[in-house]
Amino acid sequence: MEIIGNLEQILSIKKIGDISFIRASFYDQRFVSSEKNAAIAGFVRMVLALKKEKPSNFTILKNTTSLLVTFDFNEICLVNLAFSSWDEVTAPVLKIEVVGSNGMLQYDTQADNAYAGTPYASEVSLEATQPLTAELEEYIASFVQKVDEATEMEVIIG
């Protein structure tokens, strides 16, 4: 299922307006595997694909099993991304909320109705459908490197 790849299209159909808040929580074994950086990059790519710009600042806080990232887009849009690995997770848990000036969209893989009746599959694709600019892709790579280099419980502000 290409949740992130479809999100931009669903938001345009729903016409929620200018995005002011994005929250995504992803609980999956990928966070403690070799796929961790790709998963983080996928979520950052989703945010940048929706906003079409780099954030004005960010914070990073992590420990061995979780990561919290916040972005601020010139105090107009706030973003909160949480990643965690739970020992008992057998299927990924993904929750996304996007709030705009005209409405809100929620998605939750644990909910019976998720969004727009989309069925849930255990695979969560983190690929965006539209390519980003080279500048935004460079930003994503640099940001993921900062996350990688952060030590446990160190707060990084950028």
Side-chain angles (χ1 to χ4, degrees):
M1 176 171 53
E2 296 180 4
I3 294 168
I4 293 173
N6 295 334
L7 189 59
E8 190 173 18
Q9 179 184 1
I10 291 168
L11 289 172
S12 68
I13 291 169
K14 297 291 185 182
K15 298 182 180 166
I16 70 163
D18 294 331
I19 296 171
S20 59
F21 180 72
I22 300 170
R23 177 182 11 232
S25 302
F26 186 54
Y27 310 115
D28 183 83
Q29 294 304 320
R30 277 177 264 197
F31 185 71
V32 291
S33 76
S34 60
E35 297 178 53
K36 174 179 78 172
N37 288 349
I40 294 166
F43 276 89
V44 174
R45 188 169 288 109
M46 172 193 72
V47 169
L48 299 186
L50 294 174
K51 292 303 295 173
K52 311 280 192 260
E53 63 181 309
K54 293 189 290 189
S56 51
N57 61 60
F58 63 82
T59 62
I60 299 168
L61 176 62
K62 75 176 186 179
N63 64 27
T64 55
T65 60
S66 61
L67 168 69
L68 176 63
V69 170
T70 64
F71 290 120
D72 181 359
F73 288 88
N74 299 312
E75 299 180 11
I76 296 170
C77 178
L78 303 176
V79 177
N80 182 343
L81 305 175
F83 305 90
S84 188
S85 178
W86 296 339
D87 290 337
E88 65 273 3
V89 172
T90 56
V93 174
L94 172 62
K95 298 178 184 185
I96 299 174
E97 296 173 76
V98 181
V99 178
S101 54
N102 299 325
M104 175 177 169
L105 179 80
Q106 290 182 301
Y107 178 83
D108 184 346
T109 57
Q110 294 178 310
D112 291 338
N113 56 356
Y115 65 54
T118 303
Y120 174 67
S122 63
E123 276 300 307
V124 175
S125 171
L126 300 173
E127 296 301 316
T129 54
Q130 299 296 319
L132 297 180
T133 64
E135 180 185 16
L136 291 180
E137 287 293 345
E138 286 175 25
Y139 180 85
I140 292 167
S142 171
F143 183 80
V144 171
Q145 184 175 353
K146 286 180 176 80
V147 169
D148 229 15
E149 294 169 353
T151 60
E152 186 163 336
M153 298 310 290
E154 172 187 22
V155 177
I156 296 179
I157 300 172

